[in-house]
Amino acid sequence: MLETIWFLLWGVLWAVYFALDGFDLGMGMLKPFLARDEYEKRVIYNAAGPFWDGNEVWLISAGGVTFAAFPLAYAAMFSGLYTALMLLLFALIVRGVSFEFRSKVDSPGWKALWDGCQVAGSFLPALLLGVAFANIFQGLPLDQNQVMHGGLLDLLNPYGLAGGVLFVLLFLLHGALWLSIKAEGDLRERAASTAAKLWPVLAAVIVVFLAYTWFATKLFTNYMANPALFLILLVPVGGLVMIRVWLAARRFWAAWGASAVMIIGVTLFAVVGLFPAILPSSLNPAWSLTATDAGIKASSSPLTLAIMLGVALVFVPIVIGYQFWVYKTFSAPVTREDLEY
């Protein structure tokens, strides 16, 4: 039972991370296309400024839970996907530094350097996360000793790249909606217009990706065994539809909330499809690392999982409360008086 609870919590942590950090990654990617002068660039930096580092707490939590609750999966993942994960971490570090360093020197070249780091540090994590999770969905080449075969180039297969494109589009739309909330004037209008143009592209890619998933993975096995689980699909589909409705009504907060619900729904749909495997093996299903005894059990002892659950019940509400306060405090659009970065 504890193994199942932690498997679902593992999925929830990733879902919340994608929904929160996704919008500031999306704004980072959109900056070269939406910002037309120095002021608008600074608005985009400051639209993410109070939130981005708090959002990444959920990434650290998801990684920590993988380590503590599923140590075998953590070891296999961080050895087999070492190059991809190092690229991801390096991109996130460079992006974080760009927030702090860009305004330290009043030079066009200096600012252009950190603007480039911001764009690359936003695009690479979005792409790599999509590639990594798509490869997990279709199975990784794990042998019976939990050793992963292959390298970074093997991850860049058609289905993995399709996952990367999906994540990039999800975050681009999420970022455009957040900028529609936080910006004013022409920048707000360009952000809203961009979100409206991205919506049909994303809808089409989701449909294609779902069809591809049917043939390339076993994610639908749990759903076919228990058709009631298909009700989970109503969450992302409802979120996608309401984004368009509320965007047309210029209710940007509601549209952004619908986008967050869609991202969380997409992630949970995949996590439920994966269960009980946390790292499926493409070589032999019996070699998959699982939360239960269905394959090679990757979870920690019941005592460890029980202690972790007690700690989570205390600290997760504190984190949620802090983030709610931050979002409420900095909910107003960015003005010239607010520019810090």
Side-chain angles (χ1 to χ4, degrees):
M1 183 64 180
L2 280 171
E3 294 91 343
T4 302
I5 291 173
W6 271 108
F7 184 89
L8 292 175
L9 288 176
W10 173 78
V12 168
L13 287 171
W14 279 109
V16 173
Y17 168 68
F18 295 148
L20 293 185
D21 208 27
F23 74 79
D24 54 61
L25 293 173
M27 282 196 299
M29 290 187 278
L30 286 170
K31 182 151 44 58
F33 308 102
L34 295 183
R36 293 182 177 173
D37 54 32
E38 173 64 12
Y39 169 68
E40 292 186 348
K41 288 179 183 176
R42 295 191 68 189
V43 168
I44 294 177
Y45 273 99
N46 283 273
F51 311 102
W52 72 271
D53 47 359
N55 294 340
E56 292 189 359
V57 166
W58 296 94
L59 173 64
I60 296 169
S61 301
V65 164
T66 310
F67 169 73
F70 306 104
L72 278 181
Y74 181 90
M77 188 183 298
F78 275 76
S79 56
L81 305 178
Y82 184 80
T83 306
L85 289 172
M86 287 306 295
L87 275 174
L88 171 67
L89 292 175
F90 183 71
L92 289 173
I93 290 170
V94 168
R95 174 173 166 270
V97 172
S98 71
F99 279 99
E100 304 298 334
F101 277 30
R102 184 180 184 276
S103 296
K104 299 300 183 187
V105 178
D106 190 15
S107 158
W110 178 264
K111 292 181 186 299
L113 169 66
W114 292 111
D115 285 344
C117 290
Q118 172 80 189
V119 175
S122 300
F123 173 72
L124 273 178
L127 181 72
L128 289 171
L129 285 167
V131 168
F133 272 85
N135 275 280
I136 290 174
F137 299 159
Q138 70 176 355
L140 295 164
L142 278 171
D143 66 17
Q144 67 272 35
N145 297 313
Q146 301 93 56
V147 175
M148 197 178 300
H149 299 268
L152 177 63
L153 294 180
D154 297 300
L155 299 177
L156 303 179
N157 53 72
Y159 185 72
L161 290 172
V165 171
L166 175 65
F167 269 53
V168 168
L169 284 170
L170 282 170
F171 294 168
L172 282 173
L173 176 59
H174 206 37
L177 291 170
W178 184 254
L179 195 55
S180 302
I181 295 168
K182 296 294 289 181
E184 295 180 314
D186 291 343
L187 183 56
R188 166 180 282 184
E189 297 307 314
R190 287 198 294 279
S193 172
T194 300
K197 292 172 183 171
L198 284 169
W199 188 88
V201 179
L202 175 61
V205 168
I206 287 176
V207 171
V208 172
F209 188 77
L210 270 178
Y212 200 173
T213 297
W214 177 274
F215 296 104
T217 76
K218 295 180 179 176
L219 283 190
F220 282 95
T221 302
N222 287 343
Y223 290 89
M224 296 306 291
N226 187 357
L229 290 175
F230 276 107
L231 291 174
I232 296 173
L233 266 179
L234 293 178
V235 178
V237 171
L240 182 64
V241 171
M242 293 314 296
I243 290 171
R244 193 68 189 90
V245 172
W246 280 323
L247 189 56
R250 298 182 66 79
R251 294 179 58 186
F252 298 127
W253 270 110
W256 180 81
S259 177
V261 167
M262 176 185 66
I263 292 171
I264 290 172
V266 167
T267 308
L268 294 183
F269 175 78
V271 168
V272 170
L274 269 179
F275 185 81
I278 190 166
L279 285 183
S281 171
S282 59
L283 303 179
N284 185 337
W287 298 341
S288 298
L289 293 174
T290 65
T292 65
D293 293 319
I296 299 174
K297 191 173 181 180
S299 54
S300 295
S301 68
L303 177 60
T304 301
L305 296 178
I307 292 172
M308 287 176 58
L309 191 59
V311 172
L313 288 173
V314 172
F315 287 100
V316 170
I318 294 174
V319 173
I320 293 173
Y322 168 75
Q323 289 213 290
F324 177 78
W325 175 82
V326 170
Y327 276 74
K328 189 172 185 299
T329 301
F330 298 98
S331 60
V334 177
T335 65
R336 289 187 182 276
E337 290 72 29
D338 300 320
L339 297 181
E340 179 182 352
Y341 297 99

